Amino acid sequence: MAMIRPFGRGAWWDCGLVLCLCTLFVSSGEGLPFKFASVYGDHMVLQQAPHRAVVWGQGDPGSNVTVRITPGDSEFKTVNSDVGLWNMTLDPMKAGGPYNVTARQHFKDPIPLEVVIKLVDVMFGDVWICSGQSNMQFTVIMGFNSTEEILAANNYPNIRLFTAGLVGSDTPLSNLDRVEQPWSVASAASVGGGMWNYFSALCWFYGRDLYDTLQYPIGLVASSFEGTPIEYWSSPDVLKKCNVNDTLPKKDKPSTDHPKHIPIVSGDNQNSVLWNAMIHPILNMTIKGAIWYQGESNADHPDSYLCLFPAMIDSWRSSWYLGTGGQTDPTFPFGFMQISGNVPGSTNLGYPEIRWHQTADYGYVPNPKMEKVFMAVAMDLWRPDSPWLTVHPQDKQDMGTRLSLAARAVAYGDKNIKFQGPFPSSLELGSSTVVVLYGPEAGHIEVRSTGGFEVCCSSVKNTCDEATAAWVEAPMVHTIHPNATNSVTVSTDNCHKIVTAVRYAWRETPCGFKMCPVYGMGSMQVPLPAPPFIMYMRVPQG
């Protein structure tokens, strides 16, 4: 509701619909409408203390704007920039609400007037960005138990949802051009939208699981686009740093990420178009962190992901920090799903290489190159009967649970949370076996299926070069290690040269539904699959 008040007159005039539309355009100078940025709206969540939320929008260049939060007596003042953008940094606010946020624009030309706009039912809590390609865009109605899950959303009115519209731009935008779903209270109606538009299943289940633990408002901003590579989401500075060409390699066949390809902007060069149109316009909004599910569209050129993914995370962090005047953490928590399986039996190395590069080739996060980054493994959650192609797992519930466990440990600092599947600490070479030893943090491991391990069989010590080596299957053998129960022993009988390395789950689709070879038990009795790895022996061999 907008209101207009001549200076020196009496009471406020409440305006009807027609008058409201007119008053939004009452201005001087350039005649810009006075409004909040499109990522703001009734029912939204603003970032809670210790961060300071930033509120911004458009107005007359040079005019004065004041913002008041009610209930309360805090008032904030600013002057519009020359280009007509105003922003306000609020005081730190504890989680809770609801509040009203009222903005007033004051100007004197042609007559002294105020224009008033208001946001109602605003909560303070944690704001999370959910981004990526189709597995993030995949909606609740498309997943398992959708009817029950959609109805259950009525029990979470303190979770609030927003979905950006699908749009690209050749240049950075200051405001979202399209909004698919304005800020909405979580309900069966707002969660249970149509296929591929709203609301993101992974984003919802992640936020819901966090809310069950935190018990304060959660704001979820979904900004994803199916069939898109990481280059589209990366700024030009990231592309330059990683020596990425202007155009991506031409595909010989349509992407398997989505049944149809949707062009974003005209022309061959699509790089940075989603950074420009779906990330850049929300950089002035203070956030807690971001989660990401993307990578399938880079499987045909995985090598660049090793540079692009950490660089994109760093770029988003620094850009949000600058965009909010230092109010968003410069190393805000960033979580991601490792990509799931796709085509059963495929040996395409693109998928395992993407999974490996998603961790900066460490195999786990956080790590020295990716601090405050967390992940969840999804390679065991695909099913051959998915009606949305095998590349789109319907079980986004388990993904949300696994990712929220990691967030509780990394983003919220709960040191008692066990959030990672088993990762090897060392290898022990025997006469015809290799023992894969897992660290004590792995706890008791569970073996659900055989296979999954390979050894590098090389003619040269300590190397695994294609010219002198080959990967061969290393079947599990039932040998109990005398000093470790959290270990797996594999046979090297298929190698008649030198065993130089071991790798695990190095397939596009390495296992069946929840039947990967190795699991550990996480907090809340959540089984956590071991992630893929490559580990070199690095020991003298005779």
Side-chain angles (χ1 to χ4, degrees), residues 411-462:
Y412 292 94
D414 189 337
K415 299 185 183 303
N416 296 318
I417 294 291
K418 187 177 182 331
F419 65 99
Q420 293 177 314
F423 195 83
S425 57
S426 62
L427 304 173
E428 187 174 292
L429 181 65
S431 60
S432 60
T433 61
V434 173
V435 178
V436 181
L437 293 163
Y438 295 94
E441 68 281 354
H444 176 70
I445 66 171
E446 176 188 358
V447 176
R448 294 189 179 183
S449 62
T450 59
F453 290 90
E454 298 169 280
V455 295
C456 184
C457 196
S458 178
S459 301
V460 182
K461 292 180 181 180
N462 295 327

Side-chain angles (χ1 to χ4, degrees), residues 60 66 334 381:
D60 249 17
T66 60
F334 191 103
L381 295 180

Side-chain angles (χ1 to χ4, degrees), residues 61 76 91 122 152 174 232 281 336 343 368 390 419 440 473 504 510:
F76 310 89
D91 289 339
V122 173
S174 61
Y232 291 15
F336 67 91
V343 180
T390 53
F419 65 99
E473 296 288 339
Y504 170 72

Side-chain angles (χ1 to χ4, degrees), residues 177-249:
D177 262 5
R178 289 185 57 198
V179 173
E180 183 71 35
Q181 179 185 28
W183 280 102
S184 307
V185 177
S187 66
S190 61
V191 168
M195 297 178 292
W196 302 112
N197 58 9
Y198 70 87
F199 190 70
S200 163
L202 175 58
C203 191
W204 168 248
F205 293 124
Y206 171 80
R208 187 187 70 178
D209 284 4
L210 277 186
Y211 179 83
D212 285 340
T213 297
L214 301 173
Q215 291 294 301
Y216 57 66
I218 298 290
L220 301 173
V221 178
S223 183
S224 53
F225 202 131
E226 73 268 18
T228 54
I230 193 172
E231 290 87 346
Y232 291 15
W233 298 95
S234 300
S235 70
D237 287 343
V238 170
L239 301 175
K240 182 178 179 180
K241 176 181 179 180
C242 296
N243 296 314
V244 173
N245 295 327
D246 288 341
T247 57
L248 296 175

Side-chain angles (χ1 to χ4, degrees), residues 290-419:
I291 61 172
W292 174 259
Y293 194 160
Q294 190 277 334
E296 298 92 344
S297 287
N298 286 86
D300 60 350
H301 57 292
D303 291 346
S304 59
Y305 215 89
L306 177 59
C307 178
L308 284 169
F309 191 40
M312 188 201 78
I313 294 172
D314 290 345
S315 171
W316 282 24
R317 285 171 164 173
S318 61
S319 298
W320 244 291
Y321 175 77
L322 293 172
T324 57
Q327 301 310 317
T328 297
D329 190 333
T331 58
F332 65 71
F334 191 103
F336 67 91
M337 293 300 307
Q338 275 198 330
I339 60 174
S340 188
N342 185 13
V343 180
S346 172
T347 58
N348 174 11
L349 294 188
Y351 270 52
E353 287 187 358
I354 289 291
R355 296 185 189 111
W356 188 240
H357 294 335
Q358 284 180 312
T359 68
D361 291 4
Y362 280 79
Y364 59 87
V365 289
N367 62 52
K369 288 187 178 179
M370 303 179 78
E371 297 180 359
K372 291 181 71 174
V373 175
F374 56 96
M375 77 171 188
V377 175
M379 62 186 179
D380 65 330
L381 295 180
W382 76 281
R383 288 174 65 116
D385 57 352
S386 171
W388 312 107
L389 304 179
T390 53
V391 74
H392 299 119
Q394 290 184 280
D395 186 5
K396 295 299 193 286
Q397 290 94 325
D398 277 300
M399 292 185 186
T401 297
R402 293 175 183 180
L403 198 58
S404 66
L405 274 184
R408 289 169 59 188
V410 176
Y412 292 94
D414 189 337
K415 299 185 183 303
N416 296 318
I417 294 291
K418 187 177 182 331
F419 65 99

